[in-house]
Amino acid sequence: MPQVVLVNPQIPPNTGNIARTCAATGTELHLVGPLGFEISDRYLKRAGLDYWQWVDLHYHASFEAFQIYHQQRGGRWIGFSTSGVCSYIKFRFEPDDWLLFGCETAGLPREVLSACQQTVYIPMAQSQVRSLNLSVSAAIGLFEARRQLGYLE
Protein backbone atom coordinates (compact mmCIF):
# COMPACT_ATOMS: atom_id res chain seq x y z
CA MET A 1 0.00 0.00 0.00
CA PRO A 2 1.30 3.52 -0.71
CA GLN A 3 2.80 5.42 2.21
CA VAL A 4 2.64 9.12 3.09
CA VAL A 5 5.84 11.03 3.79
CA LEU A 6 5.90 14.56 5.19
CA VAL A 7 9.26 16.27 4.74
CA ASN A 8 9.84 19.03 7.32
CA PRO A 9 6.19 19.73 8.20
CA GLN A 10 5.74 22.97 10.15
CA ILE A 11 2.10 23.21 11.23
CA PRO A 12 0.89 20.72 13.87
CA PRO A 13 -2.82 20.68 12.89
CA ASN A 14 -1.94 19.76 9.29
CA THR A 15 0.19 16.85 10.45
CA GLY A 16 -2.53 15.81 12.91
CA ASN A 17 -5.16 15.83 10.16
CA ILE A 18 -2.90 13.77 7.88
CA ALA A 19 -2.25 11.35 10.74
CA ARG A 20 -6.00 10.91 11.16
CA THR A 21 -6.37 10.18 7.43
CA CYS A 22 -3.54 7.66 7.64
CA ALA A 23 -5.13 6.00 10.68
CA ALA A 24 -8.49 5.74 8.89
CA THR A 25 -6.90 4.13 5.84
CA GLY A 26 -4.26 1.98 7.55
CA THR A 27 -1.52 3.94 5.78
CA GLU A 28 1.99 4.32 7.18
CA LEU A 29 2.94 7.93 7.97
CA HIS A 30 6.58 9.00 7.85
CA LEU A 31 7.68 12.32 9.35
CA VAL A 32 11.07 13.53 8.15
CA GLY A 33 12.78 16.11 10.35
CA PRO A 34 13.50 18.66 11.25
CA LEU A 35 9.90 19.27 12.24
CA GLY A 36 8.43 22.68 13.08
CA PHE A 37 6.95 21.24 16.31
CA GLU A 38 7.42 18.50 18.87
CA ILE A 39 5.68 15.22 18.17
CA SER A 40 4.10 15.56 21.60
CA ASP A 41 2.71 19.01 20.67
CA ARG A 42 -0.82 19.46 22.04
CA TYR A 43 -2.04 20.98 18.75
CA LEU A 44 -0.76 17.97 16.86
CA LYS A 45 -2.56 15.60 19.23
CA ARG A 46 -5.75 17.69 19.18
CA ALA A 47 -5.92 17.56 15.38
CA GLY A 48 -5.47 13.78 15.46
CA LEU A 49 -7.93 13.55 18.35
CA ASP A 50 -8.02 10.05 19.77
CA TYR A 51 -6.77 8.32 16.63
CA TRP A 52 -3.05 8.32 17.46
CA GLN A 53 -3.03 4.74 18.69
CA TRP A 54 -4.00 3.63 15.17
CA VAL A 55 -1.36 5.68 13.35
CA ASP A 56 1.55 3.62 12.02
CA LEU A 57 3.98 6.50 12.62
CA HIS A 58 7.66 6.50 11.69
CA TYR A 59 9.94 9.39 12.57
CA HIS A 60 13.20 10.04 10.69
CA ALA A 61 15.45 12.72 12.18
CA SER A 62 16.77 13.81 8.77
CA PHE A 63 16.29 13.27 5.07
CA GLU A 64 19.49 11.22 5.04
CA ALA A 65 18.09 8.91 7.74
CA PHE A 66 14.90 8.54 5.72
CA GLN A 67 16.89 7.67 2.58
CA ILE A 68 18.66 4.85 4.43
CA TYR A 69 15.35 3.53 5.75
CA HIS A 70 13.79 3.68 2.27
CA GLN A 71 16.70 1.80 0.69
CA GLN A 72 15.89 -1.17 2.93
CA ARG A 73 12.23 -1.20 1.83
CA GLY A 74 12.31 -0.09 -1.82
CA GLY A 75 9.56 1.55 -3.86
CA ARG A 76 9.23 4.72 -5.90
CA TRP A 77 9.24 8.24 -4.51
CA ILE A 78 6.39 10.31 -5.94
CA GLY A 79 6.86 13.99 -5.12
CA PHE A 80 3.76 16.17 -4.93
CA SER A 81 4.62 19.71 -6.01
CA THR A 82 3.08 22.70 -7.76
CA SER A 83 6.00 22.27 -10.19
CA GLY A 84 5.24 18.58 -10.85
CA VAL A 85 5.43 17.34 -14.43
CA CYS A 86 2.31 15.15 -14.48
CA SER A 87 -1.20 15.57 -13.13
CA TYR A 88 -1.81 13.17 -10.24
CA ILE A 89 -4.99 12.06 -12.07
CA LYS A 90 -3.06 10.86 -15.12
CA PHE A 91 -0.26 9.26 -13.09
CA ARG A 92 -0.36 5.49 -12.52
CA PHE A 93 0.34 4.69 -8.89
CA GLU A 94 1.89 1.42 -7.73
CA PRO A 95 1.39 -0.39 -4.40
CA ASP A 96 4.89 0.35 -3.10
CA ASP A 97 4.87 4.09 -3.87
CA TRP A 98 5.92 6.65 -1.26
CA LEU A 99 3.88 9.87 -1.59
CA LEU A 100 6.15 12.76 -0.57
CA PHE A 101 4.83 16.14 0.54
CA GLY A 102 6.90 19.15 1.61
CA CYS A 103 6.45 21.75 4.29
CA GLU A 104 3.56 24.17 4.14
CA THR A 105 5.64 27.25 3.32
CA ALA A 106 8.14 25.97 0.76
CA GLY A 107 7.07 22.55 -0.50
CA LEU A 108 9.61 19.83 -1.16
CA PRO A 109 13.26 20.92 -1.19
CA ARG A 110 15.05 20.76 -4.55
CA GLU A 111 17.26 17.84 -3.49
CA VAL A 112 14.18 15.82 -2.53
CA LEU A 113 12.38 16.65 -5.78
CA SER A 114 15.43 15.60 -7.79
CA ALA A 115 15.53 12.27 -5.92
CA CYS A 116 11.90 11.48 -6.83
CA GLN A 117 11.19 9.04 -9.65
CA GLN A 118 8.24 11.23 -10.64
CA THR A 119 6.73 14.54 -9.60
CA VAL A 120 3.00 15.16 -9.82
CA TYR A 121 0.77 18.16 -9.31
CA ILE A 122 -2.84 18.69 -8.33
CA PRO A 123 -4.56 20.81 -11.02
CA MET A 124 -6.31 23.98 -9.85
CA ALA A 125 -8.78 26.07 -11.83
CA GLN A 126 -7.66 29.45 -10.43
CA SER A 127 -4.08 30.40 -11.29
CA GLN A 128 -4.15 32.96 -8.46
CA VAL A 129 -4.35 30.14 -5.89
CA ARG A 130 -0.74 29.16 -5.19
CA SER A 131 -1.39 25.78 -3.59
CA LEU A 132 -3.77 23.71 -1.50
CA ASN A 133 -3.50 23.05 2.22
CA LEU A 134 -1.01 20.28 3.01
CA SER A 135 -3.57 18.02 4.67
CA VAL A 136 -5.95 18.43 1.73
CA SER A 137 -3.18 17.65 -0.78
CA ALA A 138 -2.09 14.55 1.12
CA ALA A 139 -5.67 13.27 1.28
CA ILE A 140 -6.24 13.90 -2.43
CA GLY A 141 -3.02 12.11 -3.39
CA LEU A 142 -3.53 9.19 -1.03
CA PHE A 143 -7.15 8.58 -1.98
CA GLU A 144 -6.38 8.71 -5.71
CA ALA A 145 -3.59 6.17 -5.24
CA ARG A 146 -5.91 3.97 -3.16
CA ARG A 147 -8.72 4.32 -5.74
CA GLN A 148 -6.44 3.28 -8.61
CA LEU A 149 -5.09 0.32 -6.63
CA GLY A 150 -8.53 -0.90 -5.56
CA TYR A 151 -8.17 -0.15 -1.84
CA LEU A 152 -11.44 1.80 -1.52
CA GLU A 153 -13.82 -1.14 -1.58
Side-chain angles (χ1 to χ4, degrees):
M1 175 181 303
Q3 299 173 60
V4 172
V5 181
L6 305 181
V7 179
N8 312 127
Q10 301 296 307
I11 301 174
N14 285 334
T15 300
N17 288 334
I18 294 166
R20 184 191 304 206
T21 299
C22 288
T25 58
T27 302
E28 287 184 38
L29 174 60
H30 297 265
L31 302 181
V32 179
L35 308 178
F37 50 85
E38 295 290 325
I39 291 181
S40 62
D41 190 300
R42 68 183 174 101
Y43 297 109
L44 177 68
K45 295 214 185 269
R46 185 187 318 165
L49 297 173
D50 56 349
Y51 300 103
W52 282 101
Q53 64 189 11
W54 292 290
V55 178
D56 188 356
L57 180 63
H58 302 267
Y59 173 71
H60 310 279
S62 66
F63 183 66
E64 293 74 24
F66 173 67
Q67 286 178 301
I68 293 167
Y69 180 86
H70 172 264
Q71 287 173 350
Q72 298 167 355
R73 302 223 6 221
R76 301 183 304 174
W77 284 357
I78 311 305
F80 280 73
S81 172
T82 57
S83 63
V85 298
C86 177
S87 167
Y88 83 102
I89 297 167
K90 295 179 181 177
F91 184 74
R92 291 290 145 230
F93 292 95
E94 296 177 3
D96 62 349
D97 284 344
W98 300 68
L99 312 180
L100 280 69
F101 299 87
C103 79
E104 294 86 347
T105 57
L108 287 169
R110 254 186 245 152
E111 64 271 12
V112 175
L113 283 171
S114 66
C116 291
Q117 280 74 28
Q118 181 65 272
T119 58
V120 298
Y121 64 91
I122 299 170
M124 291 180 278
Q126 294 294 330
S127 60
Q128 300 84 349
V129 178
R130 187 180 69 234
S131 63
L132 295 172
N133 176 277
L134 178 60
S135 62
V136 170
S137 296
I140 288 171
L142 176 59
F143 274 88
E144 175 59 17
R146 289 175 54 80
R147 184 195 67 78
Q148 285 184 20
L149 298 168
Y151 291 124
L152 293 182
E153 300 166 0

